[in-house]
Amino acid sequence: MKIRYIAYIAIALILGYLIFNKLHNAGKKDAAAQGGGGGAGGKGGKKGGPVPVNVQIVKDTVVNTAIDITGSIDPNEQVNLVAQTAGNITGIYFNEGSHVKKGQVLVKVYDQDLQATLKQTEYQIALAKENEYRNRVLLQKEAVSKQEYDTSLSSYNTLKAQADVVRAQISRTVVRAPFSGVIGLRNVSPGGYLSTQTSIATLVNTDPMKVTFNVPERYRPFIKAGTKITFNIASSRKNFSASVYAVDPAVDPATRTITVRARAANPNNEITAGGFAKINLVLEQSPRAIMVPTQCVVPDLKSSKVFIARNDTAYVRNVKTDNRTDTQIEITEGLKPGDSLIVSGIIQMRPKVPLKIIKVLH
């Protein structure tokens, strides 16, 4: 009897559990159904509504086709100063790192022996001149022969030529600045012996500076005398400009490039010789180009496309592209000035999608 009651209680508990579980699951399904219906309704309302976008009015712009290359900076003139005559240095007349003018005396070499030779020759010239004059007067009186007069004239002219030679030798004992510029550190000292192989110092002219660079040969038609370039250097944040003045007529067979040289004004010595230049070279200018933000162009298998807004609706346009920059791309076909180009919400764009224009960019 006791076992029967236990069985009845167990059956009742199992039935109670099954009924409770069924009612609990039914409640969850109703709640899920209600929640899912609200979500579907919300998504459907969002999907069916207009997409907020910004548009840009397409217009023609001036586009420069340019390339970025590197080059080197050289002084306008540079020379290692050397003497033409060997000898002891009797004077140094410049300060290291100073500016010197063309023709300024920089170094003097011993020339006393040459000065003495010149003085001796000048005395002989004076005597020969008197002798020539005397014979010329006597020749007019037929007191001497023509041969005697010619001998005296030849002696006079020979001595003058000898004097010119000595003067030239003396002038070579003076080292002068061949052009105006800044002189570097000297390698000689007063009293030292200066040979014709010794470098006295380096003289450079830094205004203007020369910018030398190479460009691929296909760009040769775009470069000529007067072409402008801009460049910057590591030691300054400024952008400098230069003008091409020479183009090498031959193509380097190893690199297939041509060498170009430009001049850059350097009145304040901001550009340093031997530096490295990052050059922007404008090859051509297109006054009627359509440039659009890069993110507007959607690449396709065969072409590219953009979306335009018309009557608050999106329409697709197939386009052809050309030059690119970091942020823009040129459209050569498919757009015309005045079109309203969609520039935001591109990922949601489909043909005939309704739009809500938030902002119009010009």
Side-chain angles (χ1 to χ4, degrees):
M1 192 70 178
K2 186 175 181 180
I3 294 175
R4 184 185 300 175
Y5 288 142
I6 293 174
Y8 288 155
I9 292 172
I11 292 171
L13 290 173
I14 292 171
L15 290 174
Y17 173 76
L18 292 174
I19 293 170
F20 173 79
N21 191 45
K22 183 176 182 181
L23 293 174
H24 183 69
N25 289 336
K28 283 186 176 181
K29 289 180 179 179
D30 290 342
Q34 291 176 2
K43 289 181 180 178
K46 186 175 181 181
K47 183 177 180 180
V51 179
V53 296
N54 296 334
V55 300
Q56 176 179 307
I57 304 302
V58 175
K59 60 182 179 180
D60 289 330
T61 57
V62 177
V63 176
N64 292 326
T65 302
I67 57 174
D68 292 323
I69 49 181
T70 58
S72 60
I73 300 173
D74 301 304
N76 184 46
E77 303 290 351
Q78 179 173 341
V79 65
N80 285 324
L81 298 170
V82 294
Q84 293 179 295
T85 299
N88 291 327
I89 298 173
T90 59
I92 296 177
Y93 305 102
F94 68 89
N95 295 319
E96 296 170 296
S98 64
H99 187 275
V100 298
K101 295 183 178 180
K102 181 178 179 179
Q104 179 179 330
V105 176
L106 304 176
V107 175
K108 185 71 174 67
V109 175
Y110 177 82
D111 67 347
Q112 291 303 309
D113 52 345
L114 294 174
Q115 293 287 356
T117 300
L118 176 61
K119 193 170 184 179
Q120 180 183 14
T121 305
E122 288 175 341
Y123 288 145
Q124 293 174 344
I125 290 172
L127 180 60
K129 183 179 180 181
E130 292 181 2
N131 189 41
E132 183 272 335
Y133 174 74
R134 186 183 311 109
N135 286 340
R136 183 168 12 113
V137 172
L138 293 175
L139 177 63
Q140 292 173 353
K141 298 178 178 179
E142 297 182 353
V144 295
S145 66
K146 182 71 167 55
Q147 183 179 1
E148 290 177 308
Y149 170 72
D150 290 342
T151 300
S152 62
L153 178 61
S154 176
S155 177
Y156 174 55
N157 289 334
T158 299
L159 289 171
K160 288 198 300 182
Q162 289 177 358
D164 290 339
V165 170
V166 176
R167 291 190 187 97
Q169 292 173 339
I170 292 173
S171 69
R172 294 172 67 178
T173 64
V174 180
V175 179
R176 299 179 182 270
F179 51 81
S180 299
V182 178
I183 197 164
L185 305 180
R186 60 183 171 90
N187 304 313
V188 295
S189 300
Y193 184 81
L194 182 63
S195 73
T196 56
Q197 306 300 320
T198 304
S199 173
I200 299 170
T202 300
L203 177 64
V204 296
N205 179 286
T206 57
D207 185 23
M209 297 291 274
K210 295 176 181 177
V211 183
T212 305
F213 54 95
N214 295 325
V215 298
E217 63 174 319
R218 66 178 178 273
Y219 298 132
R220 177 63 183 87
F222 301 105
I223 302 173
K224 57 183 181 298
T227 298
K228 303 296 182 181
I229 67 170
T230 58
F231 67 96
N232 54 66
I233 56 178
S235 60
S236 176
R237 294 184 178 181
K238 290 178 59 177
N239 286 329
F240 300 93
S241 61
S243 178
V244 172
Y245 73 92
V247 180
D248 196 321
V251 176
D252 186 333
T255 61
R256 311 309 304 175
T257 60
I258 58 173
T259 302
V260 183
R261 187 166 285 170
R263 285 194 182 98
N266 189 33
N268 300 320
N269 288 324
E270 297 174 285
I271 307 173
T272 305
F276 178 80
K278 295 181 180 179
I279 302 166
N280 181 262
L281 174 61
V282 177
L283 299 173
E284 59 181 340
Q285 189 178 76
S286 177
R288 296 177 63 83
I290 294 176
M291 301 295 292
V292 302
T294 305
Q295 70 271 13
C296 298
V297 181
V298 180
D300 206 345
L301 292 176
K302 295 183 178 180
S303 63
S304 299
K305 61 185 179 181
V306 298
F307 291 92
I308 64 169
R310 190 170 66 241
N311 299 326
D312 294 329
T313 304
Y315 292 90
V316 68
R317 288 271 186 90
N318 292 322
V319 296
K320 290 184 178 181
T321 62
D322 194 3
N323 298 314
R324 294 172 179 264
T325 67
D326 292 339
T327 59
Q328 292 186 312
I329 184 170
E330 182 182 3
I331 304 297
T332 57
E333 289 185 20
L335 286 178
K336 63 182 184 297
D339 285 340
S340 297
L341 177 68
I342 298 173
V343 296
S344 67
I346 304 299
I347 196 171
Q348 298 172 268
M349 287 300 104
R350 300 290 184 276
K352 301 299 180 66
V353 168
L355 305 174
K356 180 180 179 181
I357 298 176
I358 304 301
K359 184 184 291 186
V360 178
L361 306 175
H362 295 278

